[in-house]
Amino acid sequence: MKNVLLIIKEQIDNFGIISRVSKYEEKATYQSHYLGLMWQFLNPLIQIGIYYLIFGLGLNGGRNVDGVPFIVWMLIGIIAWFFINTSLLGGSNSIYNKVAMVSKMKFPVSILPSINIMSNLVAYGWMMGILLVVTLGFGVYPTLYWLQYFYYFICMIAFLFAMGVLNSTITILIRDYHIMLQSILRLLFYVSGPIWDIQSRNFPDWLVHALQLNPVYYIINGFRESFLSHAWFWQKPTLALIFWGIILTILLVGSHLHMKFRARFVDFI
């Protein structure tokens, strides 16, 4: 637990650096492109259009889901998934790509996964703006349930931070891990519910209950329950406790490995 508290303190103490470097990363990524930062939301928009054509109009036939148009239901899940997927992959490589530079500077390498998460927040913010326009356009209006969006947003950031610390460390130690993570995320895309409701796929009950323990599913389903006004997060205390138990376990393991090998990261690379 000491390592967890130390890493969290490093994030707080270096928040200014995290913010400044994340802004620099955003500009550096797209500075040679004609459309620049517009690609941060143009690329997800193109992918959303493809998924809607295939799964919304093709497989689903344009039918409503949970009483709302499929495009609204899908957007809530797919926007969260894009942010989670990008942050997990970027966080996994964050230390590996920058450790040589950071070893010569005066800030801890543990903030690199946080920099990656913050740099992805701009694109996420644009997509959430589009979601709000589409949601209101289809007659889904704000309710008190929308307030718990902030709870699930905190859940998402906590999950990404914990996974970032763990994945970035393992990637240094085992380079093949990043490739394996890409394959795992492809599987998670289909079992975490961004494009279809796993509860309506005629899966066995035991499999549905098992898939609901997936932290990504908990986050995506939570966003849907918030925007579509279905349930409060405290009405499912067991799932909430399991989720935070998983996050704490990941953070404990990741922090331990990070602090144990941090002084030797350059040697491993």
Side-chain angles (χ1 to χ4, degrees), residues 25-257:
E25 290 286 328
E26 294 167 29
K27 295 178 181 178
T29 301
Y30 298 99
Q31 66 178 355
S32 61
H33 298 73
Y34 287 114
L35 297 180
L37 294 177
M38 288 182 64
W39 281 112
Q40 287 188 319
F41 63 92
L42 283 178
N43 188 46
L45 273 179
I46 294 170
Q47 294 183 62
I48 287 171
I50 294 171
Y51 286 131
Y52 180 66
L53 288 174
I54 296 174
F55 295 99
L57 300 180
L59 298 180
N60 195 59
R63 294 185 296 271
N64 289 354
V65 180
D66 290 338
V68 298
F70 181 83
I71 184 64
V72 174
W73 185 90
M74 186 192 76
L75 274 176
I76 297 172
I78 204 73
I79 290 173
W81 169 257
F82 283 149
F83 180 61
I84 291 171
N85 182 68
T86 303
S87 298
L88 285 177
L89 288 176
S92 175
N93 255 344
S94 59
I95 295 179
Y96 181 87
N97 290 337
K98 297 286 195 307
V99 69
M101 175 191 73
V102 176
S103 64
K104 302 174 183 177
M105 304 179 74
K106 293 184 178 180
F107 58 82
V109 293
S110 68
I111 71 171
L112 292 176
S114 297
I115 291 173
N116 170 73
I117 294 171
M118 184 169 285
S119 67
N120 292 327
L121 278 175
V122 175
Y124 176 73
W126 278 105
M127 297 309 298
M128 286 302 298
I130 293 171
L131 170 62
L132 289 176
V133 171
V134 173
T135 300
L136 296 174
F138 279 95
V140 180
Y141 299 111
T143 67
L144 282 176
Y145 285 94
W146 283 34
L147 292 176
Q148 69 182 345
Y149 164 82
F150 298 103
Y151 163 74
Y152 287 107
F153 180 78
I154 292 172
C155 288
M156 181 168 63
I157 296 300
F159 170 71
L160 292 175
F161 174 70
M163 289 296 294
V165 174
L166 177 65
N167 289 339
S168 60
T169 302
I170 297 179
T171 298
I172 294 288
L173 305 177
I174 307 172
R175 188 57 189 150
D176 293 346
Y177 179 78
H178 183 73
I179 299 175
M180 183 180 71
L181 180 63
Q182 292 176 317
S183 299
I184 293 173
L185 288 175
R186 292 190 191 101
L187 173 62
L188 277 178
F189 176 73
Y190 293 101
V191 299
S192 300
I195 54 173
W196 57 33
D197 185 2
I198 63 174
Q199 299 185 60
S200 64
R201 291 291 158 178
N202 297 319
F203 292 146
D205 289 341
W206 66 266
L207 180 58
V208 172
H209 292 317
L211 293 177
Q212 288 177 337
L213 301 180
N214 170 11
V216 179
Y217 174 82
Y218 179 78
I219 294 167
I220 290 176
N221 189 60
F223 282 138
R224 287 198 175 113
E225 289 184 340
S226 301
F227 283 110
L228 303 181
S229 307
H230 285 169
W232 295 103
F233 69 88
W234 59 75
Q235 292 177 301
K236 298 179 179 179
T238 302
L239 290 178
L241 288 173
I242 291 173
F243 172 83
W244 286 109
I246 292 173
I247 298 304
L248 181 58
T249 301
I250 294 172
L251 194 53
L252 285 169
V253 174
S255 299
H256 173 74
L257 291 175

